[in-house]
Amino acid sequence: MKFPRVFKLKEIAEIINSRYVGEDDFSVLGMNEIHVVNPGDIVFVDHPKYYDKALNSAATIILINKEVDCPEGKALLISDDPFRDFNKLTDTFKPFVKSESTLSDSASVGENTIIQPNCFVGHNVFIGKNCTIHSNVSIYDDTIIGDNVTIHSGTVLGANAFYYKKRSEGYDRLKSSGRVVIEDNVDIGASCTIDRGVTADTTIGVGSKLDNQIQIGHDTVIGKNCLIASHTGVAGCVIIEDDVTIWGQVGITSGITIGAKTVISAKAGVSKSLEGGKHYFGIPAEDFRTKYKEIASIKKIPEILEKLKNLK
C-alpha cells in the first residue's frame, strides 16, 4: 500500500507513538508485507527468527520490537508490538468506510456490463466493459475487474486475509488493505471466495477460468489461462504460473510456486513448489513417474513380508 504522499519518519513514529532510528525526515512511501516490499516501504517483524530477513529485504523502514543495528540507508521504528502498530497504520491510511448503498457512488462500471439484482459493489471498485455479474455477488472495496469477465452467483471478492496472531486473550487479526484484481476474459464460478491482499493484490490473470466453490487466499497470483476445478483451496502468497490446470479438491499450501503448464490431479495435496510442465498427483503431490514407482513398491510389501517369514 502506498501512502497518499511522502511522509517523514518522525510523522509515522508519532502516529504509532514509537521510538525510531534514523533521520527525522527519512522518506516513508508506504507499507507492505515482506514478499512485496519496495524501497520506501515499512515492513514489520516481531520475532527474532525473521529479523535478518526483514532487515535485509527491499524495505527501507523496519517496524521491529527490538533495537538492533540499523543497516546503512535504512531506518527503524521501535515498537513493543509491531503487529498492533502495523494495524494502526492500516487504520490510519486505509480505514474501513461503511457503505450506504448496494452500488457505491465511487464505483465505475463499464459499457455493456450487466449487474444482476442483489449484488453489492463497494467503494472505488472498477468494473470494465462487457462483464456479467450475476445475482448475490459481493465485490468489496477497491476491487479491479477487467473486460469480458463473468462472475456467478454467491461469489465474494475482497474478504479479509486469513492472517492472525495468537494472543493470551485469543486471536488478533492482521487488517487487510490490499485489493483483488481480476484481469480480462476471466470466468469465476458460483460461490467462490477470493481474499484481498494484506497490503498488495490478489490477482487472477487474463483468460483464467475458475469453477464453483474455490477459495483463493490473500496475495496469491494466478497467471494467464489457468483452469481450476471445484473445491480447490489455494492458501495465501502462492504463485501459480501460466497455463496451469488444477483438478477438483486440490489443497495448496502457502508461499509456494506452481510452475507453468503444470497439471495437478484431483485430491492432491501440494506442500512444496512444483516444477512446471509436469503432471502431479497424490498426498503429498509428486510427479506421476515418482508416485507410480512408490505405489508399485508399496504393493510389493506383502510379498516381501511373506518371503521374510519363510526364511525363519
Side-chain angles (χ1 to χ4, degrees), residues 26-254:
F26 192 95
S27 294
V28 185
L29 307 182
M31 52 187 280
N32 270 308
E33 284 195 283
I34 196 162
H35 61 284
V36 289
V37 287
N38 292 301
D41 284 344
I42 300 168
V43 69
F44 87 91
V45 62
D46 58 5
H47 194 289
K49 180 179 177 181
Y50 303 108
Y51 283 175
D52 285 346
K53 185 176 181 180
L55 291 164
N56 295 313
S57 70
T60 43
I61 305 95
I62 295 85
L63 176 58
I64 190 168
N65 58 342
K66 181 181 178 181
E67 187 166 342
V68 296
D69 291 338
C70 184
E72 186 177 353
K74 299 193 177 188
L76 305 178
L77 290 161
I78 315 298
S79 165
D80 64 317
D81 192 335
F83 190 100
R84 177 203 64 210
D85 287 338
F86 201 77
N87 273 343
K88 189 170 183 179
L89 290 172
T90 298
D91 282 337
T92 299
F93 293 105
K94 195 67 178 177
F96 175 76
V97 179
K98 71 174 185 178
S99 294
E100 303 291 347
S101 64
T102 56
L103 176 61
S104 172
D105 291 340
S106 62
S108 174
V109 179
E111 184 180 3
N112 296 323
T113 283
I114 298 168
I115 300 178
Q116 294 282 68
N118 299 322
C119 288
F120 169 77
V121 180
H123 301 305
N124 305 312
V125 168
F126 176 89
I127 303 174
K129 299 178 292 185
N130 305 314
C131 297
T132 302
I133 313 298
H134 288 279
S135 61
N136 301 314
V137 170
S138 292
I139 303 174
Y140 287 25
D141 295 356
D142 305 308
T143 297
I144 306 295
I145 298 172
D147 299 336
N148 309 308
V149 171
T150 299
I151 304 175
H152 286 277
S153 181
T155 284
V156 177
L157 305 182
N160 288 328
F162 189 72
Y163 194 142
Y164 292 86
K165 183 178 179 67
K166 184 74 164 67
R167 302 205 187 263
S168 58
E169 66 273 17
Y171 290 101
D172 192 7
R173 176 170 60 85
L174 188 66
K175 296 183 179 181
S176 301
S177 61
R179 306 183 303 177
V180 169
V181 176
I182 309 296
E183 296 183 348
D184 296 347
N185 304 311
V186 169
D187 291 346
I188 300 175
S191 299
C192 292
T193 50
I194 302 177
D195 293 342
R196 69 194 303 160
V198 171
T199 54
D201 296 338
T202 303
T203 303
I204 312 297
V206 172
S208 288
K209 314 297 181 185
L210 277 62
D211 196 1
N212 304 324
Q213 296 181 331
I214 289 169
Q215 156 68 12
I216 306 296
H218 70 90
D219 295 285
T220 283
V221 177
I222 295 175
K224 299 176 183 177
N225 299 317
C226 293
L227 286 176
I228 305 179
S230 65
H231 293 183
T232 289
V234 183
C237 305
V238 173
I239 296 174
I240 298 175
E241 296 181 348
D242 298 345
D243 301 302
V244 169
T245 300
I246 302 173
W247 295 115
Q249 295 188 330
V250 170
I252 299 176
T253 195
S254 63

